[in-house]
Amino acid sequence: MERIEGTKKWDASAYWKEQDFQTLHLQHWIFTHQLGYLLHPKISVGEKPLKIADVACGNAAWLLDLARQHPQHEYVGLDITPAHFPAAGNLPPNIRLHVQDAFAELPSEYVGAFDIVSIRTIYSAVIDNNVEPLLSNLLKMLKPGGYLQWAENDASTLTARAPEGTGMNAMTSVASIQNFFSRHQGKMDPGWLHNLGSTLEQHGCEVLADDVIVPLPELSRAWSDNLLMVWMGLPGRLPEQAIPLPQVPGLPASLSRQSLGDLIMQSTAEASQGAWAAMDQRVVVARKAG
């Protein structure tokens, strides 16, 4: 995602290094409670020891929880940066974490090595709708007959919401601003996600699930806290002087560091009254041929 004129070029790896570490823990908590599972019920685990990979593993929260449920398996976490990794000496002996760019060429030891590959929340790294290099790597990692579980926040569905009679004007504006910059500056097209099931079928996979999960109102505070923590880092990316924005419904006429900061602080106040912002989650499960 390129930042607006006068700012530096967007760098996804630097962005994630900058994020407050607690957002990753909260995102994991939201996913776990929204979905009600770590591995989709369509994935057969059994008692036989398996080798399971988590791509873009972040702080390894998913791996740690799954290893508690199924300690007989071997787990490997891969991420572009080790910034969020727990120290190796603090991990169970059946979990190993390594630095690996999910879009780069795979080391030979990862090819055909895994019974299950999981990937989650990598939406912002897929630019110009080009998911093919990533998808190709994930399928290469699987053994014949292995399972792929892909879970995403569908950022294209981000909206503000609130109980009747509760204000959400500021939160609506910030959500619209995020949607605009994601699509037009970040080049994040949701088409690849919406078509992921059919794309996997074209690769010869059997699609076992293609689920859309709408945000649960009882998790409204968690959703808003998570997004507000991310939003708090956005004003610093803008110039101090106001810049004009296109005449798009929901967008302010102009935006500056101060005006966006004011909107986010107003959103915080709205959240305390029950307003929240959230997006659909999508889970696709497929089995590799073989």
Side-chain angles (χ1 to χ4, degrees):
M1 174 179 177
E2 291 189 357
R3 296 171 64 185
I4 55 177
E5 187 176 353
T7 61
K8 296 179 181 178
K9 187 176 181 181
W10 176 268
D11 175 34
S13 62
Y15 173 75
W16 284 112
K17 289 176 187 176
E18 292 170 9
Q19 295 312 294
D20 290 337
F21 282 29
Q22 62 264 34
T23 62
L24 294 181
H25 294 283
L26 186 51
Q27 288 168 16
H28 173 67
W29 188 89
I30 291 171
F31 259 101
T32 301
H33 284 263
Q34 281 273 151
L35 304 183
Y37 57 79
L38 295 170
L39 278 176
H40 196 284
K42 294 285 187 180
I43 297 177
S44 177
V45 179
E47 295 303 318
K48 179 183 176 182
L50 302 175
K51 194 169 183 179
I52 299 174
D54 186 18
V55 177
C57 67
N59 58 12
W62 183 85
L63 285 171
L64 288 164
D65 276 356
L66 190 62
R68 291 189 191 98
Q69 291 184 3
H70 303 283
Q72 72 274 28
H73 302 314
E74 178 184 353
Y75 299 93
V76 176
L78 306 174
D79 204 288
I80 194 172
T81 170
H84 301 291
F85 287 0
N90 294 332
L91 291 170
N94 60 338
I95 297 180
R96 293 179 291 111
L97 306 179
H98 303 285
V99 174
Q100 173 66 33
D101 183 348
F103 290 82
E105 184 176 354
L106 288 173
S108 59
E109 62 264 31
Y110 296 152
V111 176
F114 298 97
D115 300 282
I116 299 170
V117 172
S118 171
I119 186 168
R120 191 169 72 180
T121 60
I122 202 166
Y123 183 98
S124 63
V126 179
I127 304 302
D128 287 333
N129 215 27
N130 184 20
V131 74
E132 196 59 38
L134 173 60
L135 180 58
S136 177
N137 277 347
L138 298 176
L139 295 179
K140 285 179 183 177
M141 292 174 66
L142 285 171
K143 298 176 182 178
Y147 294 93
L148 172 65
Q149 175 175 287
W150 196 321
E152 287 289 348
N153 288 320
D154 185 352
S156 70
T157 67
L158 174 65
T159 55
R161 50 203 87 191
E164 187 174 354
T166 302
M168 57 175 185
N169 290 340
M171 196 168 287
T172 298
S173 293
V174 179
S176 296
I177 291 166
Q178 178 173 329
N179 286 333
F180 171 76
F181 280 108
S182 294
R183 290 294 299 268
H184 298 279
Q185 250 68 37
K187 301 180 181 179
M188 298 176 199
D189 189 322
W192 72 267
L193 177 58
H194 299 167
N195 297 321
L196 183 57
S198 59
T199 302
L200 283 163
E201 288 178 337
Q202 292 169 14
H203 281 266
C205 296
E206 177 188 6
V207 175
L208 304 176
D210 190 348
D211 303 333
V212 176
I213 300 93
V214 299
L216 297 171
E218 57 264 36
L219 300 183
S220 58
R221 189 71 224 200
W223 272 108
S224 286
D225 287 350
N226 177 61
L227 284 167
L228 286 166
M229 281 191 283
V230 174
W231 290 348
M232 290 292 182
L234 299 181
R237 304 176 186 280
L238 291 172
E240 292 185 7
Q241 70 276 16
I243 58 167
L245 295 180
Q247 295 182 354
V248 175
L251 288 183
S254 63
L255 195 64
S256 69
R257 185 178 300 172
Q258 184 63 52
S259 65
L260 179 56
D262 290 344
L263 283 172
I264 293 169
M265 293 309 295
Q266 293 165 21
S267 297
T268 301
E270 290 174 351
S272 69
Q273 300 301 312
W276 57 300
M279 61 197 81
D280 292 347
Q281 293 175 311
R282 195 174 196 117
V283 180
V284 178
V285 177
R287 192 170 191 185
K288 184 176 179 178

